[in-house]
Amino acid sequence: MKGYFYRLLHKYISLYCLSDNILMEISERKSPLESYFRGNYFNLKKDGLKDIKKADYVLLNGSLHYENDIQSYLENLSLHFQPKTRLMIVYYSSLWKPIVKLGTFLGLRSKTAEQNWISHEDMENFLLLSGFELVRNDQKVLLPIYIPLISNLINRYVAPLPLFKNLTLVNLSIAKLVYSEKKSPAKKPSVSIVVAARNEEGNIEEILRRIPKMGPHDELIFIEGHSKDKTWDKICSETKKYRGHLKIKNSQQDGKGKGDAVRKGFQMASNEILMILDADLTVPPEELPKFYKAIVEGKGEYINGSRLVYPMEKRAMRFFNILGNKFFAVAFSFVLGQRFKDTLCGTKVISRENYIQLSKSRKFFGDFDPFGDFDLIFGSARMGLKIVEVPIPYRERVYGDTNISRWRHGAILFAMLIFAARKIKFV
């Protein structure tokens, strides 16, 4: 019985902690999870906290139930954390307290003396008071004992559903350090802005003219994608004439789709921050400093544009596109465990360091995203990155026609959503 429960915990933790990540569990005794992990797993005692700086994830598996002073304990932990380190906390729902006591009485679990039964609101408050911020909280396990077929059906497909998730046993929280001015970079980082351009001949000059200065050595990377007009010729001619603050790089993509173009652009990038700007200029380039500020000031680690806050120009987005955006925003928020208002905005920002880490585990979700956006969204959510949306105005396209087919691409998005749900929500 115990083996089934810990196999479940191992599966949930491994969803976020990848095989090449270093996981350190703080436990004063041999952990039941130790035999399930291989390689980069370490069991730390409380007097070995100096080693935390090497960790990608630090795990507290139920240990907060026994702490006399949770706030002081977490505050002490925070002193040893690096900005990249994630705190992973497993704690149990107070609804299960009588059932847990019964299980102990019947010998189905080891006898322990839990003294704290913490609510979600209490946990978030403890984290905030201790220098952490909650990134996501998952609720798992309705049936902690193994019954063939039934346990898998209930824990995988029923437990994550609204209403049912409030009855689950296991809470798994992921937290990061709150941003501090003392930990901010000593110098301003520079930006690599990738523009995937297909049939955008009339917008190239405007893009070059309107992108504002953000970092000391910003670069603009045009990736042209098999255009039917003279987009490539325009890129070449305009960048030769350009005398502004940006370093320019140009290339033509090898494959098809915006996703392929974005990946090639990111491979060519040399700066600390990576940005995507759509070539259609429906998102004004003048808005990019807002994204830069959000990531540099530590407000978020993956910054996503949101076009659905401010009023948009009359023909900027068709009615069914708006409905589709709202549907996918709600669905992705449910699946990924972080709030989204607009998943389909093309303006997105991530650090180069996090993108490299994300790329290493891309095969987990598969390589079938033609847009490139969801590759970043899924990967960032799985890595436990803090996701923040920046509201922006959305303009009507001035030149050319959209490269998006709302029905065909909508069907692809829906298939990707179902696939992601099976990989990250219903596991």
Side-chain angles (χ1 to χ4, degrees), residues 173-195:
S173 293
I174 298 176
K176 63 181 283 290
L177 284 177
V178 174
Y179 173 79
S180 168
E181 291 289 343
K182 295 179 181 179
K183 299 170 185 173
S184 61
K187 64 175 184 177
K188 291 181 67 176
S190 296
V191 183
S192 296
I193 306 159
V194 173
V195 176

Side-chain angles (χ1 to χ4, degrees), residues 307-308 312 316-332 340-344 394 406-407 410 413-414 417:
R307 304 163 295 173
L308 303 178
M312 60 184 69
M317 189 182 297
R318 290 174 290 183
F319 175 72
F320 284 107
N321 292 59
I322 294 174
L323 289 182
N325 270 277
K326 291 183 179 293
F327 165 77
F328 283 115
V330 172
F332 273 74
F340 283 95
K341 193 174 178 71
D342 182 8
T343 57
L344 304 180
Y394 193 52
R406 58 180 172 177
W407 300 114
L413 291 177
F414 187 75
L417 174 66

